[in-house]
RNA sequence: GGGCCCGUGGCUUAGUCAGGAUAUAGCACCGGCCUUCUAAGCCGGUGGUCGAGGGUUCAAAUCCCUCCGGGUCCGCCA
């Protein structure tokens, strides 16, 4: 709805510029809700050409703007041209939200998206840093689907590198702890194997031998690798499931082994392959100073080459190819992008996120220094239970457990989403367990309140939207109207934190409305209108929460 | 050493890509509001030279340069 208003403003301004005889230019539109619904600073842009005061230009333009459609009013304050939405905009918003219901927020987008996220090495459990990837990725998946895309999520499984060979070697020499979740048991073995190898570097030869046997096609060895990877992945998917995250496809890295010869042949056409036993590629024309090794001198493949083959395969199967990667992959992604460019394959769109470290330093699976996602989830849900039990002790145990889980998981997801992805974070237990205001519980609480009102009303007949004339009501409707524009922004720029902020602002506006505008006790006609508004807010909030992967609880 | 990212009130943080009217919100701190739809809520207050210094511009948290502090990458690892 907001996007329509915006294009109407653009059209009206364009017309006015023409009738004034001004050249078309940047309309410099911006949203500053304190002043107007949309503001144009076009006067500043034209001033150098017309050699007149911006305020004077703005005044002249406004005299030729004809408010129509959703534009209710135009005013000029100094150089600022302020546009205000009219009643029709508010009424239409309510109508559209209620009509589209679960679909409201779609942007008319279409096409297929392959979205790769998480893709952590199966050498241990997901830790809190991996989860930042998963939650961003999953929120993108939900938002893209809501926008209208057909999305396939993929987990790219490293099932053949040195780290996995170490896991396999570790499992051959150490007992797996049966009592532990499989990914945690894998980490134990992996940490021990690393320690062993550090103590006796000759053991590394055995690990290398495993890698070479795998790549040469030794079936017995391949089975060992497969079992080890599958074993750990089971634990990882359990954790993801707890977070409400599933992948459509698990793509195993080794599947691309067969593509590598063809890939290298094709790159030879560009005559940038050098051969000194190994094969590497000079990417200096892309501003990348380090040569990229495509094949080791012993003939085995490297991760980068397989990754390129993987991207070539994906690119042919979708309209948009999106990767969620840790910031440490930036150089690698640049290299992959450069080679794809040589192959005339479109590069992926990449969402980079910065690391989460511990107060004592960075995390490391290899050294066993990490806080696992499982551990965080258990403690957060436990804390949510305590908090909830204090507030609603009379509910059944099952209800308490279920709501505590929704709140705990939601809080964890929201904490990872609310901060811009390129901000480094430091994990802190007291912070993680503190359900600070305006985190996920704040949003869920607002939703529960709206739901609570709706439960107490039957289907109310027609409503008169004109009765929703209070500032609290108008503000709420305007925020609801912006939802599709937010989804548009999230799916185009791939920035999930704007959705998190949006949901917070909507909840805040609803809580204000809730405090000052009684619904159930209002006189019948007003009551009908407010119930419609509450239904509208509840719909938008529920859709937004669902994109964030936060369960919209019915009561709390 | 070079590349990339971050640096906004005591703490966490929005806004930076697409420069514009009083810099966003939370936590903490101080003070109000539950015979009225769930107070995990609402309202008010204290607190900021937007890391530092230059520059561009009518206008800079936002763009450019230099420097400082923190992170990260620079493997025939993945």
């Amino acid at each position: 709805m907001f996007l329509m208003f915006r294009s109407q403003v653009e059209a009206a301004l364009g017309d006015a510029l023409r009738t004034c005889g001004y050249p078309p230019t940047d309309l410099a539109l911006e949203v500053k809700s304190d002043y107007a619904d949309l503001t144009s600073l076009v006067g500043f842009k034209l001033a150098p050409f017309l050699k007149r005061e911006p305020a004077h230009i703005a005044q002249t333009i406004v005299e030729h703007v004809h408010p129509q459609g959703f534009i209710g009013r135009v005013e000029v304050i100094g150089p600022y041209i302020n546009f205000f939405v009219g009643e029709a905009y508010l009424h239409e918003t309510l109508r559209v939200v209620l009509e589209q219901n679960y679909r409201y927020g779609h942007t008319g987008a279409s096409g297929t998206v392959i979205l790769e996220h998480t893709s952590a090495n199966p050498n241990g459990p997901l830790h809190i840093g991996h989860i930042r990837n998963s939650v961003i990725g999953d929120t993108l998946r939900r938002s893209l689907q809501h926008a209208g895309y057909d999305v396939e999520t993929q987990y790219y499984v490293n099932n053949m590198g040195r780290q996995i060979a170490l896991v396999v070697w570790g499992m051959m020499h150490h007992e797996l702890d049966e009592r532990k979740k499989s990914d945690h048991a894998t980490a134990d073995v992996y940490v021990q194997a690393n320690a062993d190898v550090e103590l006796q570097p000759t053991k590394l030869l055995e690990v290398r031998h495993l890698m070479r046997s795998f790549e040469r096609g030794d079936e017995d060895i391949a089975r060992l690798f497969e079992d080890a990877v599958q074993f750990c992945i089971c634990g990882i998917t359990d954790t993801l499931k707890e977070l409400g995250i599933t992948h459509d496809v698990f793509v195993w890295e080794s599947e691309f082994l067969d593509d590598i010869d063809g890939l290298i042949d094709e790159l030879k056409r560009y005559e940038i392959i050098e051969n000194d036993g190994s094969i590497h590629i000079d990417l200096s024309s892309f501003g990348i100073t380090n040569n990229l090794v495509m094949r080791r001198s012993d003939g085995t493949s490297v991760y980068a080459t397989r990754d390129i083959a993987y991207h070539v395969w994906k690119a042919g199967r979708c309209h948009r190819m999106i990767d969620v990667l840790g910031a440490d992959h930036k150089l690698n992604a640049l290299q992959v992008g450069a080679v794809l460019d040589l192959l005339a394959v479109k590069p992926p769109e990449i969402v980079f996120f910065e690391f989460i470290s511990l107060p004592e330093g960075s995390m490391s699976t290899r050294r066993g220094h990490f806080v696992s996602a499982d551990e965080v989830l258990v403690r957060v849900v436990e804390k949510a239970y305590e908090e909830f039990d204090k507030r609603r002790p009379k509910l059944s145990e099952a209800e308490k457990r279920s709501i505590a889980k929704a709140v705990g998981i939601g809080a964890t997801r929201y904490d990872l989403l609310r901060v811009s992805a390129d901000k480094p974070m430091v994990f802190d237990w007291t912070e993680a367990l503190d359900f600070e205001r305006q985190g996920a519980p704040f949003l869920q609480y607002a939703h529960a309140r709206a739901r609570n009102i709706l439960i107490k009303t039957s289907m109310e007949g027609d409503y008169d939207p004109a009765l929703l004339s209070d500032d609290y009501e108008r503000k709420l409707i305007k925020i609801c109207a912006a939802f599709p524009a937010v989804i548009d922004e999230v799916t185009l720029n791939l920035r999930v934190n704007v959705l998190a902020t949006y949901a917070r602002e909507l909840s805040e506006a609803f809580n204000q409305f809730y405090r000052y505008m009684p619904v159930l006790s209002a006189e019948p006609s007003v009551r009908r209108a407010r119930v419609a508004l509450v239904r509208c807010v509840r719909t938008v909030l529920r859709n937004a929460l669902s994109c964030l992967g936060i369960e919209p609880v019915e009561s709390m």
Side-chain angles (χ1 to χ4, degrees):
Chain A
M1 205 54 57
F2 178 76
L3 294 172
M4 280 172 80
F5 169 64
R6 189 190 170 98
S7 55
Q8 287 178 9
V9 167
E10 282 168 1
L13 266 177
D15 288 346
L17 251 53
R18 253 190 308 280
T19 50
C20 292
Y22 295 158
T25 182
D26 174 14
L27 299 177
L29 293 178
E30 62 175 48
V31 179
K32 279 264 183 172
S33 52
D34 286 352
Y35 301 103
D37 295 315
L38 203 54
T39 297
S40 171
L41 295 148
V42 69
F44 281 115
K45 304 297 168 192
L46 288 169
F49 301 103
L50 303 174
K51 303 209 188 322
R52 294 167 81 174
E53 289 289 307
H56 181 84
I57 297 166
Q59 182 62 47
T60 313
I61 291 170
V62 163
E63 282 161 16
H64 294 87
V65 169
H66 308 294
Q68 53 184 319
F70 290 152
I71 305 171
R73 190 164 63 83
V74 187
E75 68 171 23
V76 56
I77 293 180
Y80 301 96
I81 304 174
N82 291 330
F83 291 83
F84 297 88
V85 296
E87 297 306 301
Y89 177 80
L90 303 176
H91 300 175
E92 185 64 4
T93 297
L94 279 169
R95 195 188 66 73
V96 167
V97 172
L98 295 176
E99 181 188 289
Q100 298 189 347
N101 199 0
Y102 284 90
R103 284 185 63 235
Y104 178 69
H106 76 90
T107 62
S110 64
T112 61
V113 177
I114 292 183
L115 171 63
E116 181 206 335
H117 72 80
T118 307
S119 301
N121 285 334
N123 55 4
L126 297 177
H127 60 59
I128 183 73
H130 295 126
I131 291 300
R132 188 175 194 183
N133 185 324
S134 311
V135 170
I136 290 171
D138 186 60
T139 300
L140 281 176
R141 188 208 106 211
R142 292 160 180 271
S143 302
L144 288 160
Q145 277 177 338
H146 198 72
Y149 290 101
D150 188 10
V151 185
E152 177 178 295
T153 48
Q154 298 191 351
Y155 188 122
Y156 185 51
V157 186
N158 163 24
N159 66 324
M160 58 177 292
R162 191 171 79 166
Q163 298 179 38
I164 303 312
L166 263 162
V167 170
V168 172
W169 186 88
M171 284 181 177
M172 289 160 65
H173 294 81
H174 297 282
E175 198 72 24
L176 278 168
D177 189 338
E178 302 274 342
R179 295 162 305 176
K180 282 193 174 176
K181 195 160 159 281
S182 68
D183 45 354
H184 291 261
T186 304
D188 288 350
V189 161
Y190 178 66
V191 170
Q192 286 178 67
N194 272 290
D196 292 345
V197 163
E198 203 164 316
L199 224 61
Q200 293 175 276
T202 49
K203 305 259 188 200
L204 219 64
L205 293 172
E206 297 173 30
V207 175
R208 281 214 194 98
H209 178 73
L210 281 172
M211 286 169 73
R212 240 171 266 152
S213 303
F214 179 98
E215 195 150 342
R216 236 185 277 119
D218 183 319
E219 286 184 18
D220 291 335
I221 298 297
R223 201 161 302 118
L224 286 177
F225 273 68
E226 187 178 331
D227 288 349
V229 169
Q230 200 67 263
F231 181 70
C232 187
I233 287 282
C234 273
I236 288 175
T237 50
D238 281 349
T239 304
L240 290 172
K241 202 172 154 199
E242 279 293 298
L243 281 161
I245 302 172
T246 56
H247 285 82
D248 298 311
V249 185
F250 285 78
V251 181
W252 291 46
E253 208 181 303
S254 58
E255 289 172 35
F256 297 98
L257 240 30
D258 294 341
D259 297 356
I260 286 171
D261 288 344
L263 194 66
I264 288 175
D265 277 348
E266 184 155 355
L267 284 166
K268 275 179 182 158
R269 285 203 271 128
Y270 301 98
E271 298 181 74
I272 41 177
I273 301 284
E274 292 166 22
N275 201 331
D276 60 349
S278 68
I279 296 179
H280 49 192
I281 182 165
D282 175 11
L283 296 172
S284 53
S285 61
F286 292 90
I288 301 168
T289 49
N290 318 65
N291 275 12
L292 176 64
V293 174
M294 303 282 290
R295 174 174 280 164
R296 297 194 188 94
S297 41
D298 67 2
T300 57
S301 63
V302 292
Y303 167 84
T305 321
R306 304 189 290 265
D307 200 27
I308 290 162
Y310 171 47
H311 279 87
V312 170
W313 173 73
K314 279 198 286 189
R317 301 177 64 241
C318 63
H319 298 99
R320 291 181 72 180
M321 168 166 60
I322 302 172
D323 298 349
V324 183
L325 298 172
D328 57 332
H329 279 68
K330 279 188 179 177
L331 175 61
N332 183 260
L334 217 57
Q335 291 170 329
V336 170
V339 174
L340 290 176
D341 189 71
L342 290 174
L343 296 167
V345 172
K346 66 178 178 208
E349 301 170 61
I350 306 177
V351 180
F352 289 109
F353 66 93
E354 289 289 335
F355 274 28
I356 299 182
S357 54
L358 299 176
E360 58 268 30
S362 57
M363 285 188 266
S364 157
T365 305
R366 182 169 53 84
R367 287 178 294 138
H369 292 175
F370 59 86
V371 173
S372 77
D374 293 320
E375 194 181 347
V376 173
L377 260 26
V378 165
R379 288 183 59 178
V380 166
V381 170
E382 201 175 289
K383 182 73 191 302
Y385 180 89
E386 282 171 29
E387 293 293 321
F388 188 60
D389 190 40
K390 266 188 249 169
R391 295 174 166 89
R392 307 286 294 277
K394 287 178 197 154
L395 284 182
S396 76
E397 183 66 12
E399 270 178 299
K400 284 190 224 171
R401 290 281 165 209
S402 137
I403 288 165
K405 186 171 171 186
V407 169
I409 303 283
T412 304
R413 285 185 67 123
Y414 193 85
D415 278 346
L416 294 170
L417 291 171
R418 54 178 248 274
V419 179
S420 147
D422 46 27
K423 218 95 161 184
M425 297 174 95
V426 177
F427 179 81
D428 181 271
W429 274 112
T430 55
E431 243 167 65
L433 297 176
D434 175 27
F435 301 134
E436 71 183 50
R437 217 176 79 98
Q438 299 199 333
F442 178 80
L443 315 182
Q444 290 169 311
Y445 186 67
H447 178 268
R449 280 177 142 188
R451 189 67 193 126
N452 197 244
I453 290 175
L454 295 175
I455 281 170
K456 293 179 175 152
T457 57
S458 51
M459 283 301 288
E460 315 254 339
D462 285 344
Y463 64 94
D464 178 5
L467 294 172
L468 302 169
S469 56
D470 192 274
D471 280 349
Y472 290 111
E473 296 165 327
R474 296 170 62 93
K475 183 180 171 192
L476 251 187
I477 301 172
K478 286 180 191 176
I479 295 176
C480 288
F483 185 52
V486 170
I487 291 293
D488 201 46
E489 153 93 11
V490 169
T491 54
L492 253 37
N493 297 342
L494 305 177
R495 289 166 28 147
V496 287
N497 67 309
V498 318
L499 220 201
T501 304
Y502 173 78
R504 174 174 62 73
E505 282 168 355
L506 177 60
S507 304
E508 194 170 36
F510 178 71
N511 279 330
Q512 289 164 348
F513 162 85
Y514 186 92
R515 165 71 179 78
Y516 294 106
M517 305 273 110
V519 177
L520 300 179
S521 60
E523 60 135 321
S525 58
V526 173
R527 172 184 157 118
R528 279 201 300 278
R530 288 188 183 158
V531 166
L533 175 56
V534 172
R535 183 164 286 129
C536 168
V537 171
R538 191 262 168 156
T539 300
V540 179
L541 188 53
R542 180 242 282 135
N543 291 3
L545 285 173
S546 130
C547 286
L548 290 166
I550 296 169
E551 194 185 320
V553 296
E554 306 265 303
S555 116
M556 67 182 275

